[in-house]
Structures are given as structure tokens and as C-alpha cells.
Amino acid sequence: MNGVFTAAELNRQLGVPGVARVSEGNGGLARVQITGAFGEGEMYLHGAHLTSWKPAGHDEVLFISTKSRWEEGQAIRGGIPICFPWFRGKVDDAHAPAHGFVRTKMWQLESIVEIGNENGVAVTMFTQSDEHTRKWWPGEFRLVHRVTFGSALRLELVCMNTGTMPFRFEEALHTYNRIASIQDVRVQGLDGVSYLDNTDSNKEKTQRGDVIVAAQTDSAYRNTQNEVALLDPKRKRRIRLQKEHSLSTVVWNPWSEGATRLQDLGEGEWRQFLCVEASNILDAAINLAPGQEHRVAAVLTVERL
């Protein structure tokens, strides 16, 4: 919750009648539910985690595991978690939480704002460095996540260095796209791009043609600013990802062998998602001087095929 505020109190303070409601969701965790002519959405204060987006005229775009743990200290499996200030494991600490600490942190709800006449709703949440984060990472920071629900979905993550020392961080908007079947989808827009293959000792390789997933996949595409598109012929849709201030794109699916190590993923559910992520990781990590801020954005749109 926001400090000591309950979901009901937050709803009284910040809810927008008929458009945005703060309520208790899974595990009693506070969430913001959005509804309008543009569609529906849902976002939890736990991790500032986006868990649902259904633009008008389309089915659910995001995947959520049926075995996801909805509790403090655990990451929600699916949706769009925020990875910060490192991606995957922490290089110098095997005991540190994977993908950083903000996805398991309770964020504060700052505002819920209607945009124009039925153009959407913007939900802003924030978190900052504290005793818990300093145990893992010395950076003094404020992190703001602003999500605009509309006919498009826009996620904007802003990191401010509030301390006196520079720091370096990685970040990713770890989008779980819901698909009909992993064997039938393809990602366009990465042909000819160099990538590091994390399933093969991070060897550098070059993409040839569309990305087709036929085995465990964990690829970080480098120097990518262009739009990519996920084609799902069985669902008859195309999910487009446009990025701003993001120089790497991650494509991930654990496949059957990786899925067996994920206790919060249901049987066979690895077939139902493909992660395509706006990110700044590895050699695209961000150096931030005191008083400076960095902004990364991802915009998702859905089209019928």
C-alpha cells in the first residue's frame, strides 16, 4: 500500500469514478483497475507491475501464469515486470535477487489522470532507494513508472540519480506477450542484428530472417532502436513494440527444460508466451551522474492480421 493507506483509502483519494478504481487484488495486494472506451487494464502497486491490457476489440495481450505467487517478496510471473538495477543474475553476487529488487518492492501510487476525451488513463507509481535496496546496491535513486492505458499501451520508466555518486544500471520492461503457441509465432524487425546468445555462453551471433523460437531462447539484440513486431497467426494478430531510449531488445522463452525450473509457471504454460523486451542491458547499461535522469519507453499496439 502507499505507506499505511489501504486500497479503499487510495481509491477515495485517487480513484476516478467509472474509469479507475483502486482495490484489493490477488493475495490482498492493491491494484489499479482501468476501464474505458479504449479498453481495460490492470496494474499492481507490488512492483508497479502491469498485469493486464485488453485494448478495445482485442483479447488479452499479456500472459499471467496460473501459478504466479501473489505475495510480498515474490515477483509476479507474467505481465510486465520491471527489471532494475540489474538484469538476470547480479554479476558480483549470486545471492542477490534475479532481475533486481524493484519488481518485488511495494511502490507508491502517485496519480491517476484521464487524458483528454476517452484517449486513455495514465497511472504513475514511484519507488526510491532505502535501507533494503542499499543492502544490494549502493545507488541513491528515485524510479517513476508511468503507464498510459489507451488504444496503445505506453510504459515510461524514469530513473533519477538522487545521490552524490554516479552509478551504472541495467533495466528492462520484461513484457510477457500472450500467444496461441510458441511454435507458430515469429518476431520481425531483427534481421541482420547482432545478438548475444545467453543459452550458448553469451556468444555473439547474427540474426538471419525472422526470429523463430524452436528451443530455449534468451537473446539480447544489440544496438536496436527500431520497431519489432510479434506475429501470431493463430490469434490472428500482430503486437508491435516501439521503443525510446532503449538500445537492446531481449527475446526470451524458457522452453520445456527451462520451464521445469520455474515453480511459479503452470504445466505447459511456456508455450503460451514470448517475452520481447525494451531494455538497456550488458554493454547498453546506463551511466547516470548525480542529479541526472534517464528515461526509457515502450509502446505496444495490436493489429488484426
Side-chain angles (χ1 to χ4, degrees):
M1 310 295 172
N2 265 38
V4 296
F5 292 124
T6 66
E9 288 168 329
L10 286 172
N11 189 55
R12 282 194 293 273
Q13 292 175 12
L14 298 169
V16 181
V19 175
R21 184 167 74 99
V22 186
S23 63
E24 284 193 8
N26 292 317
L29 299 172
R31 64 182 174 180
V32 180
Q33 294 174 291
I34 302 295
T35 185
F38 49 81
E40 301 172 19
E42 180 184 74
M43 185 176 175
Y44 276 72
L45 276 69
H46 180 72
H49 196 126
L50 196 70
T51 50
S52 176
W53 179 50
K54 288 190 274 190
H58 295 278
D59 295 333
E60 177 62 62
V61 177
L62 303 178
F63 165 87
I64 291 283
S65 169
T66 56
K67 288 193 172 180
S68 186
R69 302 186 186 105
W70 302 89
E71 56 190 78
E72 293 191 28
Q74 298 289 338
I76 298 168
R77 174 66 65 187
I80 307 181
I82 298 169
C83 304
F84 174 93
W86 58 83
F87 188 74
R88 301 177 181 142
K90 191 168 188 283
V91 173
D92 58 356
D93 186 353
H95 300 291
H99 292 312
F101 41 68
V102 301
R103 65 182 188 149
T104 56
K105 204 169 184 283
M106 195 61 69
W107 290 49
Q108 307 244 12
L109 179 58
E110 183 172 281
S111 64
I112 302 173
V113 180
E114 283 189 273
I115 300 170
N117 182 23
E118 284 296 348
N119 286 332
V121 177
V123 179
T124 303
M125 300 184 186
F126 71 92
T127 190
Q128 53 201 9
S129 47
D130 58 24
E131 289 180 12
H132 171 72
T133 68
R134 292 181 199 111
K135 284 193 298 189
W136 299 110
W137 190 66
E140 295 292 325
F141 68 91
R142 177 182 166 91
L143 203 58
V144 176
H145 191 206
R146 184 172 190 261
V147 178
T148 305
F149 297 89
S151 55
L153 179 72
R154 178 180 174 85
L155 299 97
E156 193 171 41
L157 187 67
V158 183
C159 178
M160 285 151 276
N161 183 337
T162 58
T164 58
M165 299 293 290
F167 57 68
R168 181 176 174 85
F169 66 93
E170 295 177 296
E171 61 186 351
L173 296 165
H174 198 314
T175 306
Y176 284 72
N177 298 282
R178 177 175 281 282
I179 56 176
S181 174
I182 190 66
Q183 287 93 339
D184 298 312
V185 298
R186 58 181 58 221
V187 179
Q188 297 181 323
L190 295 168
D191 183 27
V193 175
S194 161
Y195 68 96
L196 299 178
D197 185 349
N198 195 43
T199 69
D200 187 14
S201 305
N202 259 342
K203 286 182 182 170
E204 185 169 357
K205 301 179 181 181
T206 301
Q207 181 64 38
R208 300 299 179 199
D210 294 348
V211 179
I212 296 170
V213 179
Q216 188 170 3
T217 299
D218 188 359
S219 302
Y221 291 84
R222 308 166 85 181
N223 301 314
T224 55
Q225 300 182 64
N226 55 300
E227 175 186 296
V228 295
L230 172 58
L231 270 65
D232 189 347
K234 283 195 172 177
R235 281 190 179 263
K236 297 184 171 59
R237 72 181 179 190
R238 177 189 288 110
I239 303 172
R240 293 187 181 277
L241 167 64
Q242 295 172 290
K243 312 189 305 167
E244 298 168 18
H245 310 299
S246 159
L247 292 179
S248 56
T249 301
V250 176
V251 177
W252 178 73
N253 181 278
W255 211 252
S256 55
E257 64 269 33
T260 60
R261 296 191 290 272
L262 302 174
Q263 296 179 356
D264 56 353
L265 191 63
E267 181 71 29
E269 286 185 338
W270 58 271
R271 297 183 178 91
Q272 298 170 20
F273 69 84
L274 180 61
C275 292
V276 183
E277 311 170 33
S279 59
N280 286 297
I281 69 167
L282 302 169
D283 52 1
I286 304 298
N287 293 299
L288 204 59
Q292 298 295 302
E293 70 174 39
H294 167 79
R295 183 181 308 260
V296 65
V299 180
L300 297 177
T301 51
V302 185
E303 304 169 349
R304 294 194 184 281
L305 285 179

